Amino acid sequence: MEGRERYVRQMMIPGLGEDGQNKLAESTVGIMGVGGLGSPAAMYLAGAGIGRLVLADPQTPDVTNLNRQVLHWQEDVGSRPKVASAAWKLKRFNPSVDIETHAVEVTAENIAEVFRGADVILDCLDSIPPRLVLSDHALRSSTPLVHAAVEGMHGQVTVVEKGRTPCLRCLFPRAPERRSPFPILGPVAGVFGCLQAAEAIKLITGVGRPLRSQLLLGDMEHNCWETIDVLPAENCPACGER
Ligand SMILES: [Zn+2]
């Protein structure tokens, strides 16, 4: 197949091979938020040969985004939506990837339409309320979800899957409203966005062990990493009857 040379090195990974590459090429990954997490995640998924990326973000790049949102450059500030800025670069990076863009606020009303056909959705958001909308959609549509969150020099990642793991309402029983804007170091967002891309590739190809019911916590200030179990919340209104 044309263009397979691009993927030769990842196809050498045990268990990935030609079959895994075909699965990636036939997959759709939704990315909710094309900022500090979504930029590296989209870049590495495009590099891996995902067939179709669905990007959703209502914002336009701001100069204060540029320390971490690496798909947006100086020329994009105030000039076009983040999804258009990202799509332009991703298409030039790997022309074989189809990119669908939604420059809209994703809500409980439109989420099923925005992420129609997605095999995996990445939570690249920066506040809790839209994350819960995404978590509910993931359960309703049985779409695996890769959550990540970063602040300062810390971050976390986990995988949510209907019937197999607790959901984001279990993880965030009380939605704390964080102060805005919050501190964030660019490379920290980069690392956690890359972890999301890797989890998505693992879910699609079946390679490795995804972070189902496990929360990977990273403290990049002190280089402390640990994986803890995520427990279902008692009487969770969303995933209670697992
Ligand atoms: Zn739950």
Side-chain angles (χ1 to χ4, degrees):
M1 190 180 167
E2 191 267 319
R4 277 295 155 94
E5 236 184 312
R6 181 187 285 259
Y7 312 114
V8 156
R9 298 291 292 272
Q10 69 193 40
M11 287 164 64
M12 290 165 69
I13 290 170
L16 204 149
E18 192 90 26
D19 279 358
Q21 196 58 48
N22 288 337
K23 286 177 186 159
L24 293 173
E26 288 157 11
S27 293
T28 294
V29 176
I31 300 182
M32 190 159 162
V34 190
L37 293 166
S39 290
M43 193 84 186
Y44 278 92
L45 289 171
I50 293 291
R52 180 166 155 263
L53 291 176
V54 178
L55 311 178
D57 197 314
Q59 297 178 339
T60 297
D62 175 89
V63 72
T64 66
N65 299 155
L66 304 188
N67 77 320
R68 63 198 184 281
Q69 302 189 11
V70 294
L71 275 177
H72 313 307
W73 302 344
Q74 184 68 44
E75 68 204 52
D76 303 307
V77 171
S79 72
R80 52 180 171 177
K82 286 184 182 178
V83 292
S85 154
W88 189 88
K89 285 141 197 150
L90 293 169
K91 204 65 198 169
R92 275 152 191 80
F93 175 46
N94 188 350
S96 68
V97 179
D98 288 331
I99 317 269
E100 184 181 317
T101 61
H102 297 270
V104 296
E105 193 83 53
V106 176
T107 64
E109 286 66 46
N110 67 11
I111 192 165
E113 182 56 28
V114 168
F115 293 120
R116 191 172 22 89
D119 298 291
V120 179
I121 305 177
L122 308 191
D123 162 11
C124 300
L125 295 157
D126 62 1
S127 66
I128 309 287
R131 286 192 159 105
L132 299 181
V133 169
L134 178 52
S135 176
D136 291 348
H137 168 72
L139 296 182
R140 226 175 10 247
S141 62
S142 299
T143 312
L145 162 60
V146 184
H147 156 78
V150 286
E151 181 164 345
M153 296 180 71
H154 303 76
Q156 62 182 39
V157 194
T158 190
V159 168
V160 169
E161 231 180 317
K162 185 185 181 180
R164 301 183 71 165
T165 75
C167 73
L168 294 187
R169 286 187 187 275
C170 297
L171 202 59
F172 304 109
R174 298 164 301 280
E177 255 328 300
R178 76 157 102 219
R179 62 196 187 281
S180 184
F182 58 91
I184 175 69
L185 191 70
V188 176
V191 164
F192 284 88
C194 284
L195 286 170
Q196 287 183 285
E199 289 302 298
I201 291 167
K202 287 159 66 182
L203 286 164
I204 291 164
T205 60
V207 167
R209 190 163 58 103
L211 286 161
R212 290 187 185 102
S213 303
Q214 291 194 303
L215 185 69
L216 173 61
L217 294 161
D219 166 359
M220 291 177 62
E221 187 178 356
H222 303 97
N223 288 315
C224 294
W225 293 82
E226 66 176 325
T227 305
I228 61 171
D229 293 336
V230 181
L231 302 174
E234 237 178 281
N235 307 319
C236 174
C239 70
E241 70 277 22
R242 248 168 312 113

